Amino acid sequence: MDLVQRTSSEPLDLLETAVEIARRAADTAARMRAEAVSSTIDTKSTDTDVVTAADRAVERQIAEELRTLRPGDALLGEEYGSAGEGAAVRWIVDPIDGTVNYLYGLPQYAVSIAAEVDGVVLAGVVRNAATGDEWTASRGGGAFHDGRPIRGSRQTVLAQALVGTGFGYDAARRTHQAAVLSGLLPHVRDIRRFGAASLDLCFAAEGLIDAYYEKGLNPWDHAAGGLVAREAGLTVAGLDGAEPGLPMVIAAPPALFGPLHDRLSALDAAGGA
């Protein structure tokens, strides 16, 4: 593999780099899953927060390739934190989003890579390592699934909306999220939980679900998928005018965003642990 250094900060050039690296990383994740390397398990904050040896290996691979291709850039990764602070370009990486799915062999786990320039995400790719499905976006350039342009749902009525969400690993947070879900469920068509935020955002981006919300997402969980959703015409934000982040991420078509936002705000969805 011949890796040549690159310096462009144009969205499409950044996206090209992200896609190349994500495809190789997804191949590694799938191969390691097939070889049962994922049976090596560690834990983070709780017993259910599973981190596999593959998660770390894939992030190391991505980081090494980025250092070779773009040695002056910064990196924020789920497993190894920040490197190269102060650079104009920062790569935001989730090596395997959906590690519990990965552990169990459920085909909903993805490599997520976003490129941020001066604090603005300009390019992103989410690749399902189990299926090969790939979602891409560049700022102002639209959103795509395997090269096909995508747009979000046309649903305008919250009561008819299929809404995706996810849950944290901490028991206290789960308790609050369960209460929020209980309050929301009577007001929507139904709820889906797939177990990988980056894929949830991409599903919303092409209307496979009508909207999505979740508390507790880190930048690597939503940077790439959030750009895909925005470029597909969705509003992506937090509650009460906040930016999307740890307290809340909502992604919905404009017609659904307001009603979903107001319902979640009334339920104190950003509160709790």
Side-chain angles (χ1 to χ4, degrees):
M1 179 174 57
D2 185 20
L3 299 179
V4 179
Q5 287 189 11
R6 307 166 189 185
T7 58
S8 172
S9 297
E10 292 299 313
L12 288 177
D13 294 330
L14 293 169
L15 180 59
E16 180 182 10
T17 296
V19 167
E20 290 178 12
I21 293 174
R23 288 175 178 174
R24 288 190 287 265
D27 288 345
T28 296
R31 173 181 54 79
M32 294 184 75
R33 180 66 181 74
E35 294 172 354
V37 175
S38 60
S39 62
T40 303
I41 300 172
D42 195 2
T43 59
K44 280 184 181 175
S45 55
T46 72
D47 290 340
T48 54
D49 192 355
V50 185
V51 180
T52 66
D55 210 4
R56 295 177 177 136
V58 171
E59 185 167 318
R60 284 195 300 269
Q61 176 180 315
I62 293 170
E64 289 167 3
E65 292 192 16
L66 283 170
R67 278 194 295 268
T68 300
L69 287 170
R70 302 185 59 94
D73 292 353
L75 172 67
L76 174 64
E78 180 185 18
E79 292 303 314
Y80 294 105
S82 298
E85 291 295 327
V89 179
R90 184 172 74 157
W91 297 86
I92 305 173
V93 172
D94 194 337
I96 303 177
D97 183 25
T99 50
V100 174
N101 288 346
Y102 185 80
L103 179 69
Y104 280 82
L106 299 171
Q108 303 290 344
Y109 50 88
V111 175
S112 174
I113 302 177
E116 180 186 78
V117 178
D118 296 327
V120 178
V121 177
L122 298 187
V125 57
V126 176
R127 185 173 179 88
N128 186 329
T131 66
D133 287 278
E134 182 177 88
W135 293 264
T136 57
S138 59
R139 187 174 176 85
F144 301 85
H145 179 186
D146 291 340
R148 173 180 57 84
I150 57 175
R151 296 291 294 177
S153 170
R154 296 182 180 179
Q155 181 59 254
T156 61
V157 179
L158 184 61
Q160 296 300 314
L162 183 63
V163 179
T165 192
F167 309 107
Y169 293 113
D170 178 77
R173 176 169 293 176
R174 282 174 177 259
T175 299
H176 181 74
Q177 288 174 319
V180 171
L181 181 63
S182 178
L184 178 64
L185 192 56
H187 301 279
V188 299
R189 180 192 295 273
D190 209 344
I191 295 290
R192 292 293 181 270
R193 193 273 206 266
F194 297 105
S198 62
L199 291 174
D200 289 334
L201 286 160
C202 292
F203 294 163
E206 63 176 315
L208 297 176
I209 54 177
D210 296 306
Y212 166 75
Y213 78 94
E214 187 166 349
K215 172 184 170 66
L217 297 186
N218 289 289
W220 48 81
D221 295 311
H222 65 86
L227 180 64
V228 174
R230 285 192 187 92
E231 288 296 323
L234 274 62
T235 299
V236 182
L239 283 179
D240 303 318
E243 292 295 314
L246 278 170
M248 180 57 58
V249 173
I250 305 171
L256 288 179
F257 183 87
L260 178 59
H261 169 279
D262 293 348
R263 181 62 57 182
L264 291 171
S265 182
L267 292 166
D268 189 29

